[in-house]
Amino acid sequence: MPANLTLDALRDLVKAGEIDTVLTCAVDMQGRLMGKRFHAQHFVDSGYEETHGCDYLLAVDVDMTTVPGFKASNWARGYGDYVHKPDLSTLRRVPWLPATAMVMVDLLDHHTHEEVPHSPRAILKRQVARAKAMGFDAMMATELEFYIFEESFAELRDEGYRAMTPVVRFNNDYGIMGTAKEEFLMRDVRNGLYGAGIPVENSKGEAEAGQHEINIRYSDALDTADMHSITKNGIKEMADQHDVSVTFMAKYATDRAGSSSHIHQSLWSGGKPAFFDPDAEHGMSQTMRHYLAGLLAHASGVTYFLAPNINSYKRFTVGMFAPTKAVWSTDNRTAGYRVCGAGTRGVRVECRVGGADLNPYLALAAQLAAGLDGIERKLDLEPEMKGDMYADPNARQIPRNLREAVRVLDGSDMLRAAFGDAVIDHYVHAARWEIAEQDRVVMDWELKRGFERL
Ligand code: ADP
């Protein structure tokens, strides 16, 4: 189920007065949609060919601060423009906004018209092309967890994010009665996304008060990343329309479970599942074993792309379903890498390390790069781990904080070869800025501990 509009169909809808607005959406380093709202007539007349936007969109932090020290965008280079080239295969309706359509754009260099190498969409496209050249289609799905609160975004911002009230006040994992309380939003979300050409499978209550999950049918990796960012953006917009708020932070409160984005992945060749061998153990083909071995070999190096914020690492707590160990197991939720659908055509790997705050383009690209490296180097798969991985001292630990994850990212020869040195340096710089900011800023926690008692 690809995006659901063609340029010709859009032209007809504009003529009929059914669409009057087209959003052109780039993806920034945080995975957010950034762009312009076109009058639909201008879009179908000329905007569909290209538009432009400041290159600082790939050199700011979440607060839109112009971070110093990036080589690609800075004051000395004058913060010029990138071309925003609409990818017309992603043209779709936005049913939750009146008379609106949207399109994803690729970011191109103004002079050469080459894709900007550190653009998240370009990074993923490069790994998808690499898989294709090896004879594989990368099929992926990202689950998304989040919290729904009664207060609006504006109310919470104004009062300093201190008094969030979950819509459902109890652990509502799979609860049908509890999720009925969230239907005012979630029904709109499922139907709105479906109408945008995003095949929602289901939504469900999760294991913490106010927590929810949405599942979208797997697709090729680029389509999945596009659907993930549109879904996240759409859920926030629809929450806003209902005067409630949602958060995709990896960990919004110390004593509440974190929100994940598990990544399901499989490779296919000529429409057949390349991960499936009916005669092999768990139905896992040799290709799948090499791929999984690659994911494990590079588990530390890719952690930054699964957990890109300081807050991300606070989700990795023992006994709360977020994994702390990079090992594999079949259908065991304490392992970072779980084999699902064992023995069937749907056999696949689920990486459970990522938080809901990941950038899907970067996360999927890093997973693919690690897995393809495993296939290219024919890496042997280590034995399956069984039992409670949290308690196993021999199980491989993933980096415990952003500082450690960035150090490993910086030294990852595999990622440097796959993404390019300049791209890795760019993201290492972004991460070091986050760490420097945290080192500089005085937090509520410090004040509460120290103000009177130190
Ligand atoms: P879970 O037990 O984790 O809830 P589900 O059956 O709900 O598993 O599937 C989770 C996700 O995996 C869904 O988004 C689904 O579309 C996706 N999925 C199913 N088969 C494959 C596959 N072969 N490759 C990649 N993703 C898949």
Side-chain angles (χ1 to χ4, degrees), residues 2-306:
N4 55 9
L5 277 182
T6 60
L7 188 58
D8 282 343
L10 178 65
R11 283 206 166 97
D12 291 344
L13 291 168
V14 176
K15 204 181 233 167
E18 282 185 47
I19 295 281
D20 57 36
T21 302
V22 180
L23 316 177
T24 55
C25 304
V27 178
D28 73 1
M29 288 198 286
Q30 290 76 17
R32 300 175 295 185
L33 301 185
M34 305 301 250
K36 300 180 184 172
R37 309 184 100 85
F38 270 71
H39 191 287
Q41 191 60 53
H42 185 55
F43 182 84
V44 296
D45 286 347
S46 64
Y48 73 91
E49 285 188 295
E50 66 176 52
T51 172
H52 54 269
C54 180
D55 69 16
Y56 98 137
L57 288 176
L58 291 182
V60 289
D61 65 8
V62 74
D63 233 359
M64 304 304 285
T65 304
T66 46
V67 174
F70 279 114
K71 291 215 171 73
S73 309
N74 50 51
W75 292 117
R77 293 172 71 106
Y79 282 116
D81 269 351
Y82 287 143
V83 170
H84 287 209
K85 176 87 184 160
D87 175 347
L88 293 174
S89 71
T90 67
L91 201 53
R92 55 189 4 120
R93 285 175 179 270
V94 185
W96 60 92
L97 296 175
T100 300
M102 69 174 291
V103 70
M104 304 302 295
V105 306
D106 288 311
L107 300 182
L108 313 183
D109 182 280
H110 227 322
H111 306 289
T112 64
H113 266 63
E114 302 266 325
E115 287 213 49
V116 174
H118 55 284
S119 146
R121 213 164 181 266
I123 291 172
L124 179 56
K125 281 166 82 174
R126 202 169 148 192
Q127 293 311 306
V128 168
R130 180 177 162 204
K132 267 242 171 344
M134 292 167 70
F136 298 120
D137 292 313
M139 302 301 282
M140 302 212 179
T142 53
E143 302 173 18
L144 249 182
E145 292 175 352
F146 53 98
Y147 280 84
I148 311 173
F149 300 107
E150 283 185 355
E151 296 79 13
S152 70
F153 282 116
E155 280 171 282
L156 289 181
R157 173 167 278 276
D158 291 348
E159 62 84 30
Y161 303 104
R162 278 163 216 279
M164 286 81 109
T165 317
V167 168
V168 177
R169 313 279 211 277
F170 43 84
N171 175 338
N172 188 42
D173 203 11
Y174 294 95
I176 292 295
M177 181 273 289
T179 41
K181 299 179 200 296
E182 296 161 325
E183 272 299 83
F184 67 92
L185 172 62
M186 292 314 299
R187 181 166 178 261
D188 279 5
V189 166
R190 290 190 307 274
N191 293 335
L193 294 174
Y194 202 86
I198 295 180
V200 175
E201 289 186 343
N202 51 55
S203 61
K204 66 178 274 293
E206 271 294 325
E208 185 66 83
Q211 200 178 23
H212 214 93
E213 175 181 281
I214 187 155
N215 288 296
I216 315 280
R217 189 178 152 72
Y218 69 100
S219 184
D220 67 83
L222 185 64
D223 190 28
T224 288
D226 285 343
M227 294 194 293
H228 178 116
S229 31
I230 296 167
T231 296
K232 206 163 166 179
N233 188 72
I235 292 176
K236 286 186 190 172
E237 290 182 354
M238 285 181 256
D240 211 27
Q241 289 168 350
H242 286 286
D243 277 330
V244 298
S245 56
V246 292
T247 188
F248 293 90
M249 281 182 73
K251 186 91 169 167
Y252 92 91
T254 312
D255 54 353
R256 301 288 179 184
S259 291
S260 314
S261 179
H262 299 158
I263 303 173
H264 290 256
Q265 33 200 315
S266 60
L267 296 180
W268 294 63
S269 280
K272 295 206 171 67
F275 274 10
F276 182 46
D277 176 352
D279 301 324
E281 190 191 6
H282 305 312
M284 290 167 65
S285 69
Q286 200 52 47
T287 300
M288 179 172 183
R289 295 181 72 86
H290 291 320
Y291 185 93
L292 182 48
L295 293 184
L296 295 173
H298 300 296
S300 293
V302 303
T303 298
Y304 167 71
F305 291 117
L306 298 166

